[in-house]
Every structure is written in structure tokens, then in C-alpha cells.
Amino acid sequence: MPYSITINAVEYRDYADLGTIRPVSSLKDRSDNLQDLILTIGVVAGTPEVAIPQAKREVIVTDDGGTKIFAGVVERVREELVENHPVQDQQIFQYILKCSDYGGWFDRRLIAQEYPKQATDVTVKSMIDNFVNTEGDNDFTYNNVAAGMLVAEKDYHYVAASRIMDELADETGYVWWIDEDRDVHFQLSTTTQAPMATINFEENTDVQDLIMEEIGDQITNRVYLLNARPIAVGAD
């Protein structure tokens, strides 16, 4: 059960329908979202009992242990009048929020820059320092950007930072994402571990309402290699 729900550093736990808090995280799609977070707020004589939530504000949800289970940005806010008491000059509104990860903030400035042939981590860090973190607040860190392999020189003309990260990841076999602390991860997919190595449904209380789905559209039974060549040869 969430312990804290803050939007722009304002606490909203007492106004939230806790049953609507269902964060969805996908490393494959590199996206987190929190859909249909519902807040119920009363207004008396035109004054709300708490600040009305607004779009483009940071939202953080933590559990009772202080661990962030979602962090990102409010993308949309829909207001609905639930009750109206004109005699008492009182109203009750519901606010339905759609929230996404920090990707929108990461792409807030397009990249127009040439980069020489160099290691991918050098390019990533330079891009974050000189383009992403130029607004003066809500900056990103890159403590988990691993040393990368060399890539050819690049010439970007007003390209979103996330598209550049996708391109570099595709060329090197790396994966990347932004965590709940706005830290950028860029590392080999083979060294990326699941957040939970094993799950015991009888003992683990962090896993609830599990839904499993089996699909067959991504199964491959034959692989063709074109222009394959060895990249390392071991000595006898």
C-alpha cells in the first residue's frame, strides 16, 4: 500500500483512491506509466482543501518502506464535478491523472551536435551535460552509464535525446532507461538483471494481482546470419 503520493512536493495520499494506483513498467519498451490516478478534492467558497494538481509536475509514489514504486511526470489532468452544494458553496471534484516516466523531461531539448568517433558513454554524458541538463532544474545524472564500445562519428540535426539513446543502444547491444531517481542507465543487455531474481508467492508480499500471459508471436525457430564473421579468436 502506498505510503506517500506527492505531486510537485505536495502530499496527496489522503485524497487518492489507492485502488487506482497501478504502475506499469516495461524495460523492453523503456517506459513506465501510471494511468488513471484518481484524486478527490473538496472546494469550499472557491478554496480547495489542497492544491489542484497540474500537468507537467513531478509525481512520486513510495511504499510504506520508503521505496519509490513510481516516479515521473503528470501528463494529463481531467477534472470532473462529482457533487455540488450551492447553498453551502461547496463542491467535490475528482481529478483523473495520467502520468508517465521522465522521458518527456529527458527530451525537452533537441540535440543539434556533431560527435567524433568515440566511446558511446562519452557521447551520452556529453549530450546530457550540454543539452538535457540545461534548464537549471530537474537534472539527470548518469551514474549507471557503463563504458561503451567505439561508434562512428555522429551528426545530429535537432534529434530527441531518447532517439539518440535508442540508436546508440541498437548499434552496441546495450539497453538504456531512466530510473525513479532520474539516473540514466546505459549498459550491456547481458549484464542487466531483473529487479527480483526469484519470486515466492507464499512469502513475498511485494507481488500482488499477478497476471501471466503466454504469447507465440515472438518465437523464432530459425535464425539466419548474413555476412557473419568472428569478432574474437581464442589462442590454442
Side-chain angles (χ1 to χ4, degrees):
M1 189 67 68
Y3 174 77
S4 175
I5 305 168
T6 62
I7 301 174
N8 204 30
V10 177
E11 180 62 60
Y12 286 87
R13 185 188 190 283
D14 294 338
Y15 307 95
D17 180 352
L18 301 182
T20 65
I21 300 176
R22 296 180 178 178
V24 177
S25 178
S26 172
L27 180 58
K28 174 181 177 294
D29 299 325
R30 193 185 34 75
S31 66
D32 297 342
N33 63 76
L34 182 64
Q35 299 290 333
D36 295 335
L37 171 61
I38 298 177
L39 305 176
T40 302
I41 299 174
V43 177
V44 179
T47 302
E49 54 188 334
V50 68
I52 301 302
Q54 296 178 309
K56 297 303 178 184
R57 302 296 191 270
E58 185 175 38
V59 54
I60 299 175
V61 182
T62 60
D63 62 17
D64 54 4
T67 300
K68 293 180 182 178
I69 60 176
F70 179 83
V73 181
V74 178
E75 293 295 341
R76 295 184 181 182
V77 180
R78 187 172 81 246
E79 179 185 81
E80 296 181 1
L81 178 61
V82 178
E83 296 183 23
N84 185 24
H85 305 281
V87 176
Q88 296 85 2
D89 195 11
Q90 297 180 356
Q91 298 84 34
I92 296 178
F93 292 90
Q94 275 193 346
Y95 296 89
I96 298 89
L97 280 59
K98 294 185 181 297
C99 310
S100 64
D101 57 25
Y102 291 113
W105 280 0
F106 193 70
D107 286 338
R108 56 194 166 188
R109 188 178 180 191
L110 298 179
I111 314 301
Q113 181 67 42
E114 294 183 23
Y115 293 101
K117 180 180 179 181
Q118 59 187 4
T120 50
D121 60 299
V122 177
T123 299
V124 169
K125 293 175 181 179
S126 175
M127 178 183 69
I128 294 174
D129 284 337
N130 296 296
F131 289 92
V132 177
N133 288 346
T134 57
E135 299 297 323
D137 58 0
N138 302 320
D139 283 351
F140 293 80
T141 58
Y142 41 72
N143 299 318
N144 286 283
V145 171
M149 59 185 67
L150 289 174
V151 292
E153 63 182 53
K154 305 291 182 181
D155 187 6
Y156 297 112
H157 297 276
Y158 300 99
V159 181
S162 60
R163 285 188 57 189
I164 294 176
M165 295 294 293
D166 287 340
E167 177 185 314
L168 294 175
D170 289 341
E171 290 186 17
T172 59
Y174 278 45
V175 294
W176 79 277
W177 71 95
I178 302 169
D179 66 20
E180 291 82 2
D181 296 314
R182 294 200 300 271
D183 188 54
V184 178
H185 294 242
F186 183 78
Q187 58 195 50
L188 278 169
S189 58
T190 55
T191 62
T192 303
Q193 298 181 349
M196 301 175 66
T198 60
I199 299 176
N200 187 321
F201 294 109
E202 296 181 354
E203 299 178 359
N204 196 302
T205 59
D206 294 333
V207 180
Q208 301 177 15
D209 300 327
L210 178 67
I211 299 175
M212 301 184 69
E213 179 181 9
E214 182 177 356
I215 61 175
D217 60 351
Q218 296 182 10
I219 296 177
T220 302
N221 57 17
R222 183 172 296 178
V223 177
Y224 294 94
L225 300 179
L226 299 180
N227 300 321
R229 57 187 177 86
I231 60 174
V233 178
D236 293 332

